[in-house]
Amino acid sequence: MSDYATRVLDQVRAKNANEPEFLQAVQEVISTITPVLTANQKYEDNCILERITEPERTIIFRVPWTDDQGKIHVNRGFRVEFNSAIGPYKGGLRFHPSVNLGILKFLGFEQIFKNSLTTLAMGGGKGGSDFDPKGKSDAEVMRFCQSFMTELSRHIGPDTDVPAGDIGVGGREIGYLFGQYKRLRNEFTGVLTGKALNWGGSLIRPEATGYGTVYFAQNMLATKGDELAGKVCVASGSGNVAQYLVEKINQLGGKCVTLSDSNGYIYDPEGINEEKLAWVMDLKNNRRGRIKEYAAAFKGSQYFEGQRPWNVPCDCAFPCATQNEINGAEAATLIKNGCKLVAEGANMPTDLEGINNYLEAKILYGPAKAANAGGVATSGLEMAQNSQRLNWTREEVDAKLFDIMKNIHDNAYQHAREYSPDSQGDFTNYVAGANIAGFVKVADAMIDQGLV
Ligand code: NDP
């Protein structure tokens, strides 16, 4: 790393010592962009690293709500408006008991570079609450969402900050949040994405993150003259991203043999085909059940309580649950068992040691901010349709998503080839390529706009 990069990283560590996930995300970015920092003195002269690692604004608020018994609960709400150099803040809302400021800062920071890679005009932001929707009635979730939006509505807007879903925030929650925003502001605007189709949503938005991750994997495989057909795949999670990832793998002739939730994973050597996937979607989205029920429903499959699926031999791995779900040892196990490709549907699912293991083994590794950018890209397409008051067809949106994922891939590939010294011959360091490509666009916009 350059002296400048080292100095700023030390400052960020000192200032944010109790935010490990944020520090991990910052370290991953700063450690890979040294070649552009060294080649362009303007970034140091304009203190770009110091500024890009500090959110433009952080909002923290109380969210009081009552349960079905009339008992009062208080959660904490957040919105981190990280960077608006290239467009309005854009990024999801996460409702999960583990949510804290450090996790949302890591997600918001990642979002800056991811959104930049999509080529659409979107800045980076993230928000959420330590509220746990699991086990709550629809009425309780609605009252929580209304209380959360009552404060959030002061800070967001279609040209200011446009939140979307993330863990624990799906179509139901977006509906309640949108309804309350509309009521408070008396405006029907595209202030949230991930809306239902009958009130401003985009076709393909629910599918986009999972489909996009598979498209990214397809593009990486194509650089080796290979394809997904016939590949054995392992995925984690069983929520929005994982479900549509499996759908696309099946459509392309691959076979996905695992899914998980926070209690354990299921292994189905026959593959989670279309019929079984429909059952999983009903289980998770309508019945709100647990993945272990799969093993009872489908003969030949097994459930492993309290474990993650990374010891199952595979050609390709797709982590789609949460951050740091693959550590160094698990990454090494994947590689030892023959895994040749990892594409990240979840945000920062591999820790720094695990990433180093992928890079040393020179497998195809698509980091989250590139591989899962299809979700936010399609949110951008939803914003465009809302502004035009038009709805594009399923085929139109899917074709645009496909092209965007190819562009993101090619952009990361080319920047890696140009700047990253280890990207030679058969190997491309997509981590460096994605970070550099995402950084340059935002950093140059920040310089253009002066010291704000
Ligand atoms: P969902 O809430 O729909 O699903 C999350 C899945 O991950 C569930 O199966 C959940 O299991 C599991 N999970 C959550 N937390 C943990 C944990 N701590 N340990 C193990 N498993 C866990 O969320 P999404 O599918 O939308 O999001 C999944 C990942 O993808 C996240 O990292 C998110 O940031 C990322 N992402 C999502 C995008 C989107 O468009 N939705 C866009 C880009 C990235 P359980 O039911 O037990 O909680």
Side-chain angles (χ1 to χ4, degrees):
M1 275 203 294
S2 66
D3 287 352
Y4 174 47
T6 307
R7 190 174 74 244
V8 175
L9 195 50
D10 286 345
Q11 286 166 6
V12 174
R13 283 198 186 108
K15 265 180 153 175
N16 305 277
N18 58 351
E19 295 173 353
E21 293 86 0
F22 176 57
L23 294 179
Q24 182 182 337
V26 171
Q27 183 175 338
E28 189 226 271
V29 170
I30 292 190
S31 64
T32 52
I33 60 175
T34 296
V36 260
L37 298 175
T38 311
N40 297 279
Q41 180 61 30
K42 63 180 177 178
Y43 297 131
E44 182 171 354
D45 292 346
N46 285 277
C47 287
I48 290 298
L49 288 186
E50 292 88 330
R51 289 159 61 197
I52 211 168
T53 52
E54 192 66 38
E56 289 176 15
R57 190 177 301 106
T58 300
I59 301 138
I60 303 182
F61 50 99
R62 180 174 71 195
V63 190
W65 57 281
T66 49
D67 66 20
D68 290 343
Q69 282 68 49
K71 188 167 177 289
I72 295 171
H73 298 262
V74 180
N75 285 95
R76 187 171 285 178
F78 303 86
R79 187 70 183 164
V80 180
E81 297 184 333
F82 221 117
N83 193 297
S84 61
I86 61 166
Y89 309 105
K90 178 92 197 97
L93 296 171
R94 176 176 292 191
F95 291 169
H96 193 272
S98 64
V99 162
N100 58 39
L101 183 59
I103 287 182
L104 295 178
K105 278 172 66 182
F106 119 63
L107 289 162
F109 183 72
E110 290 275 295
Q111 198 81 43
I112 303 170
F113 307 98
K114 181 189 305 193
N115 293 1
S116 165
L117 282 170
T118 64
T119 71
L120 304 176
M122 298 182 291
K126 200 81 187 188
S129 172
D130 56 0
F131 172 75
D132 186 359
K134 260 187 239 136
K136 306 288 190 303
S137 70
D138 287 352
E140 288 171 331
V141 170
M142 181 181 75
R143 285 194 294 275
F144 173 81
C145 287
Q146 291 178 340
S147 181
F148 182 85
M149 182 52 87
T150 300
E151 176 58 35
L152 188 69
S153 64
R154 302 173 206 267
H155 311 286
I156 62 174
D159 298 316
T160 311
D161 182 353
V162 185
D166 190 77
I167 291 176
V169 179
R172 173 182 62 171
E173 290 76 16
I174 292 289
Y176 295 147
L177 291 163
F178 183 83
Q180 182 73 349
Y181 181 89
K182 182 166 63 73
R183 179 193 200 187
L184 290 167
R185 302 286 284 256
N186 198 23
E187 279 171 12
F188 194 110
T189 52
V191 68
L192 291 162
T193 57
K195 301 186 289 299
L197 279 180
N198 46 341
W199 44 274
S202 172
L203 286 158
I204 299 286
R205 176 60 189 93
E207 291 89 338
T209 308
Y211 278 19
T213 304
V214 178
Y215 292 154
F216 194 89
Q218 254 189 316
N219 277 288
M220 290 199 294
L221 286 166
T223 65
K224 308 251 181 205
D226 204 352
E227 57 179 18
L228 208 64
K231 297 278 185 296
V232 174
C233 304
V234 158
S236 63
S238 48
N240 169 266
V241 178
Q243 292 170 14
Y244 289 104
L245 176 112
V246 174
E247 183 168 287
K248 186 52 74 179
I249 289 172
N250 286 341
Q251 286 171 8
L252 295 175
K255 177 168 87 166
C256 189
V257 295
T258 65
L259 280 174
S260 72
D261 59 24
S262 46
N263 296 109
Y265 79 91
I266 57 101
Y267 172 49
D268 184 345
E270 297 296 310
I272 301 157
N273 63 18
E274 203 182 325
E275 175 211 336
K276 293 170 182 172
L277 179 62
W279 184 93
V280 171
M281 288 182 169
D282 180 51
L283 173 79
K284 299 305 279 190
N285 308 342
N286 302 326
R287 292 186 278 137
R288 299 193 184 268
R290 308 303 300 161
I291 201 65
K292 73 173 175 198
E293 296 169 49
Y294 184 103
F298 297 106
K299 267 220 305 266
S301 64
Q302 281 176 279
Y303 174 66
F304 298 88
E305 175 79 23
Q307 293 183 45
R308 303 194 280 216
W310 314 124
N311 58 354
V312 174
C314 63
D315 302 306
C316 306
F318 297 93
C320 295
T322 193
Q323 65 272 6
N324 290 329
E325 54 168 318
I326 304 182
N327 60 28
E330 288 164 318
T333 302
L334 278 169
I335 295 161
K336 180 170 68 71
N337 287 341
C339 177
K340 293 283 183 299
L341 176 149
V342 176
E344 296 181 335
N347 283 311
M348 206 171 74
T350 310
D351 72 9
L352 290 170
E353 195 189 329
I355 293 175
N356 285 336
N357 288 342
Y358 301 150
L359 297 178
E360 268 170 30
K362 298 194 185 306
I363 63 169
L364 291 169
Y365 167 50
K369 63 172 75 67
N372 75 25
V376 73
T378 309
S379 279
L381 302 179
E382 182 173 331
M383 288 162 72
Q385 294 170 77
N386 291 163
S387 300
Q388 294 179 317
R389 302 266 195 272
L390 284 177
N391 281 17
W392 302 336
T393 64
R394 192 179 163 84
E395 289 70 28
E396 263 178 291
V397 183
D398 197 21
K400 285 189 204 299
L401 170 64
F402 187 85
D403 287 347
I404 289 171
M405 294 314 297
K406 178 160 179 18
N407 285 336
I408 293 173
H409 171 273
D410 294 353
N411 198 7
Y413 181 90
Q414 279 149 14
H415 278 81
R417 293 273 151 181
E418 189 173 339
Y419 286 106
S420 160
D422 60 348
S423 295
Q424 283 168 7
D426 254 7
F427 176 67
T428 303
N429 183 338
Y430 287 97
V431 186
N435 286 339
I436 292 168
F439 172 80
V440 167
K441 183 173 166 192
V442 176
D444 289 347
M446 288 172 73
I447 293 173
D448 292 344
Q449 291 169 22
L451 192 55
V452 291

